[in-house]
Amino acid sequence: MNKLQLLALAGGLALAAPAFAQQGTKADPAMLAKIKDEGMNRSKVMETAFYLTDVCGPRLANSAGLARANEWTQKQFTTWGLSKATIEPWGTFGRGWDIEKSYVAMTAPYYHTLIGAPKAWTPSTNGPLKKQVIVVKATTEAELDKYKGQLRDKVVLLDVANPPKPSFEADARRYTAEELQKMADFKPESPAATPDAAEMEKRMAQRRTMMALRTKMSDMILSEGAAAILSTRGGSDGTFFTSNGAPYAADAKPVLPELEMAPEDQLRLIRLAEAGIPVEIELETRTRFQTQDLKGYNVVAEIPGTDKKLKSEVVMLGAHIDSWHAATGATDNAAGCAVMMEAVRILKAAGVQPRRTIRVALWGEEEQGLFGSRGYVKNHFADPATMKLLPEHEKLAAYFNLDNGAGKIRGIYAQGNEAAAPIFREWLQPFAELGATTVTLRNTGGTDHLSFDAVGLPGFQFIQDPLDYGTRTHHTNMDTYERLPADDMKQASVVVASFVYQAAMRDAKLPRKTLPAAKPEQRM
Amino acid sequence: MNKLQLLALAGGLALAAPAFAQQGTKADPAMLAKIKDEGMNRSKVMETAFYLTDVCGPRLANSAGLARANEWTQKQFTTWGLSKATIEPWGTFGRGWDIEKSYVAMTAPYYHTLIGAPKAWTPSTNGPLKKQVIVVKATTEAELDKYKGQLRDKVVLLDVANPPKPSFEADARRYTAEELQKMADFKPESPAATPDAAEMEKRMAQRRTMMALRTKMSDMILSEGAAAILSTRGGSDGTFFTSNGAPYAADAKPVLPELEMAPEDQLRLIRLAEAGIPVEIELETRTRFQTQDLKGYNVVAEIPGTDKKLKSEVVMLGAHIDSWHAATGATDNAAGCAVMMEAVRILKAAGVQPRRTIRVALWGEEEQGLFGSRGYVKNHFADPATMKLLPEHEKLAAYFNLDNGAGKIRGIYAQGNEAAAPIFREWLQPFAELGATTVTLRNTGGTDHLSFDAVGLPGFQFIQDPLDYGTRTHHTNMDTYERLPADDMKQASVVVASFVYQAAMRDAKLPRKTLPAAKPEQRM
């Protein structure tokens, strides 16, 4: 940014200043300009992202990679001058698991290396195996029974639900103005577009039947003495998706070695086997379980508040640092972590003196059920099962989350909080030129702001351009550093830093929705 | 196809019949309808494609896979009732080469399996290696010299020219009506849109410099005692491209083991190494050279002509059956072979009694320089170096080629043959509803019709929808069966069968261009 642009920005913010004053804030337009200047011109977000992805590696829940990342981020926060950088346990998770070797190839009818990775928490093959394959396809228990007596010592091939084909749609996209307008126009009181109850129940029943069949299939494949399983969750072009993994609990029942495969490779094996051509697989996985420490952790650090009355209050920002294991979890969610880390680095570098304390959190074990943030919320604020509020509950001004890939911020989900929406609209004003314009009252789910929302705390997730998150990177072996566009990451860092600053400088905490009732079924 | 559609088609062809008569042909509209019916309703093109890809496997020049494919196709032609199915040598190629094992992983700073394949004709590692890496980047000889003394026992990482990033364009596309019209409007006499001579010479000089540097780099990496090379030709998402391979000549000088890698994996290694983080690679390749038989082969088979005067004349159709080695060469060019094989199967099944002999050829060693077809043309028709015509030269009515992926046929390149264009326009008339409409006078290159064109024989390549040939499958590890849309393959088979039938039934051979002058530099 050059000086003229800085002046123009300061001018734009000056126009908005009376609005801040009306609302009761000590946010300084010059500080907002400094935040933008630091974030756009001296960004370290890609360097941070490189360390989180390439250097720390895959960061599966309670893995060695996640431990490396926790240690590195704690150290990095301290290096940047944050206070109280801590690796804080949130509760008991389960076993750690890392891959030490993974090799799979077809050795007959001819040699071909296959693309795949061990499914999380599956055991080793205990050395290399060379086995014949058998295809198992069943949609009913009767169909499954037909395989009895045929699986011993075989590598079982499970079916591919969605075979790849030439793609006439781009992997990546950005939100259009029309889509953003539709989000902005959303009214919570609008009749919800939910499917009718009967249809829902039918689908749930189908799902239960399918899950029961899958469990029976797994049990049978194990008890019949198969050697290993090759399965496919989806993907194309050498990209494959990973699924939810085998059980990670310390007392989980045994499962077979299983690899999740690129669909093209899996389909070749299946076509050959179904044509009656003998297919031989060579396979070796070596996985390491860690049972010494079953706890899960979050990493937290602070920029202390400076206002005597308000410094006991906290503005939080966070993102989950754990990932799946077949890549380096770049868009899910090193991107969110790098942006949140960069936001607090920017604030420190800009010399912010926040009225409230700013606390950044990098959550563990999100992928298995938002465990890190839910544990943290339960330990610090309230258990949604009882809704007995802890003293810190009244001190949280806001929580901001980022976990929808590496796309730039286009706005924010106000999560049904109608009183917060106009505040966010004001805070977004300086960022229209950077593409962030939209406040929607819509709820969005699937990530850690829900843990706060569940106990009546104002937790929000930003709207991000989808890019290729849904099609290519989310839970795949191709969720790598290449998928992080530097310009998007910088923009997001500046928007987040600005929101956090605003929330820390405002006279009042962000408005809250009505406290929810206790939900005993949400006990952790 | 139902009966009504058959009647409609017969009607359409009947309207066109007077045109055929004017031109002098005994082509029967009812036979054309039978060809279409057989090809659309009892197609075996996907079964053939399955055998060529999955069952035979990769079909690198003079590999075991190519030998399997030659044997299978010869047998298949005989099964379908073709005559004289022969595996015919075309001359000397060089060594055979197959992969027996390929494994590469990063073992430090943490474990990660890498996606890659041995570069064609590279040697084995002779067992597993565990080595440190070094990045070699040089654009001048002086830069290259800096690495002297540093490469011993290292795995050398070469740079990635085009890092992958989120893609906002679809992999696959079809030609638009506008694009086809532009091809149809092309006039050979139009001023050619070639870059100016100075610019051309500049580019050629740059290319020569780059090639010289690459050779020097390879020689230095070898002589300095490096252990192996990891390089990248391009690609994304787990797809990687393969390049031209190491020398295949029986007396080729030695090279190092080298793997061509998925760019995402290669870039991770490079970023880590350049950040000063020790990277260790585990690597094992086992490749098998075959030097007993250095000859190259084509597979040919015939449907004999039935007209006393014309049966000594030949209509040929063909496609190359060899492929690169990292996948099963589905779109390059099992697709073309499957379509050409299906075209002759359709003609046999439809009970065609062609006036001329129809001969199908599956060319070997196209990827290294159209060797199979050039050898065949030299052995049967003429050597472009001398242009001394052999007796068969005057007997060839036409040659039709298919080698631009699996997309349906949209028309044909008349290859500057202005007299042939109106004939093709007539032959395409019944296929407008199937999307094949366009005759262009443009030349197209890069494949086996050029071998015929080079000696003044009428050789033609069809226009095909590009699909994802250029972006995803051509020379990649993802050129697999999934990339073959059955509807496109069926359409192409029917169009080709129809063209071949027309060429076999016409009174005259297809018109020819003026004979070219001898080109001594084209000696094989």
Side-chain angles (χ1 to χ4, degrees), chain A residues 134-147:
Chain A
I134 182 167
V135 181
V136 172
K137 289 181 179 177
T139 54
T140 65
E141 294 206 7
E143 283 173 9
L144 193 56
D145 286 342
K146 289 184 201 157
Y147 294 101

Side-chain angles (χ1 to χ4, degrees), chain B residues 57 75 78 96 129 135 162 164 215 246 275 312 361-362 373 401 422 426 476 508:
Chain B
K75 195 171 136 249
T78 305
L129 307 177
V135 180
N162 297 301
T215 303
S312 66
L362 306 177
S373 59
N401 194 71
E426 258 186 47
T476 77

Side-chain angles (χ1 to χ4, degrees), chain A residues 54 110 237 271 482-483, chain B residues 54 110 237 271 482-483:
Chain A
D54 291 336
Y110 51 86
D237 314 313
R271 285 190 300 264
E482 285 69 28
R483 306 293 163 185
Chain B
D54 291 336
Y110 50 87
D237 315 312
R271 285 190 299 264
E482 285 69 28
R483 306 293 163 185

Side-chain angles (χ1 to χ4, degrees), chain A residues 146-163:
Chain A
K146 289 184 201 157
Y147 294 101
K148 275 189 182 159
Q150 294 183 51
L151 308 185
R152 179 153 307 278
D153 218 29
K154 294 281 204 311
V155 169
V156 169
L157 304 177
L158 299 185
D159 202 11
V160 178
N162 297 301

Side-chain angles (χ1 to χ4, degrees), chain A residues 228-300:
Chain A
I229 299 172
L230 303 187
S231 62
T232 304
R233 179 77 173 189
S236 65
D237 314 313
T239 302
F240 63 87
F241 285 79
T242 54
S243 59
N244 282 329
Y248 47 77
D251 58 352
K253 65 180 184 177
V255 296
L256 280 177
E258 178 170 349
L259 283 95
E260 295 184 303
M261 306 294 294
E264 288 87 350
D265 283 342
Q266 181 85 347
L267 284 162
R268 191 195 310 190
L269 302 175
I270 291 174
R271 285 190 300 264
L272 286 168
E274 291 191 332
I277 293 160
V279 174
E280 185 188 67
I281 292 288
E282 189 174 30
L283 174 67
E284 183 178 3
T285 64
R286 196 164 65 244
T287 60
R288 186 183 66 243
F289 286 90
Q290 181 278 108
T291 53
Q292 294 303 300
D293 181 1
L294 300 176
K295 287 198 293 297
Y297 297 89
N298 303 308
V299 182
V300 291

Side-chain angles (χ1 to χ4, degrees), chain A residues 50 53-58 68 99-103 109-113 115 164-174 236-239 263-264 267-268 271-272 275 277 282 326-328 467-468 472 477-478 480-483 485, chain B residues 50 53-58 68 99-103 109-113 115 164-174 236-239 263-264 267-268 271-272 275 277 282 326-328 467-468 472 477-478 480-483 485:
Chain A
F50 162 66
T53 56
D54 291 336
V55 180
C56 296
R68 275 193 299 273
I99 301 172
E100 295 191 328
K101 174 148 193 181
S102 168
Y103 169 69
Y110 51 86
Y111 184 88
H112 176 64
T113 315
I115 296 175
K165 52 188 178 185
S167 167
F168 291 87
E169 274 184 34
D171 284 349
R173 57 184 294 273
R174 295 187 181 279
S236 65
D237 314 313
T239 302
E264 288 87 350
L267 284 162
R268 191 195 310 190
R271 285 190 300 264
L272 286 168
I277 293 160
E282 189 174 30
T328 51
L467 304 184
D468 52 1
R472 183 63 67 187
N477 66 324
M478 285 295 138
T480 61
Y481 180 86
E482 285 69 28
R483 306 293 163 185
Chain B
F50 162 66
T53 56
D54 291 336
V55 179
C56 297
R68 276 193 299 274
I99 301 172
E100 295 191 328
K101 174 147 193 181
S102 168
Y103 168 68
Y110 50 87
Y111 184 88
H112 175 63
T113 315
I115 297 175
K165 54 188 179 186
S167 168
F168 291 87
E169 273 185 36
D171 284 349
R173 56 185 293 274
R174 293 187 182 279
S236 65
D237 315 312
T239 303
E264 288 87 350
L267 284 163
R268 191 195 308 190
R271 285 190 299 264
L272 286 168
I277 293 160
E282 190 173 30
T328 52
L467 305 184
D468 51 2
R472 182 64 67 186
N477 67 324
M478 285 295 138
T480 62
Y481 180 86
E482 285 69 28
R483 306 293 163 185

Side-chain angles (χ1 to χ4, degrees), chain A residues 173-256:
Chain A
R173 57 184 294 273
R174 295 187 181 279
Y175 281 128
T176 62
E178 292 68 34
E179 288 172 312
L180 291 170
Q181 190 57 52
K182 206 174 154 192
M183 289 194 212
D185 293 344
F186 175 84
K187 298 269 184 297
E189 67 270 23
S190 335
T194 50
D196 70 74
E199 180 61 24
M200 281 281 276
E201 177 48 37
K202 194 177 138 196
R203 278 192 218 163
M204 294 283 279
Q206 281 171 343
R207 201 177 145 75
R208 280 192 299 270
T209 307
M210 196 188 69
M211 296 298 283
L213 184 70
R214 276 199 195 164
T215 303
K216 192 161 185 290
M217 192 184 275
S218 298
D219 291 348
M220 182 181 127
I221 293 170
L222 181 71
S223 67
E224 290 279 313
I229 299 172
L230 303 187
S231 62
T232 304
R233 179 77 173 189
S236 65
D237 314 313
T239 302
F240 63 87
F241 285 79
T242 54
S243 59
N244 282 329
Y248 47 77
D251 58 352
K253 65 180 184 177
V255 296
L256 280 177

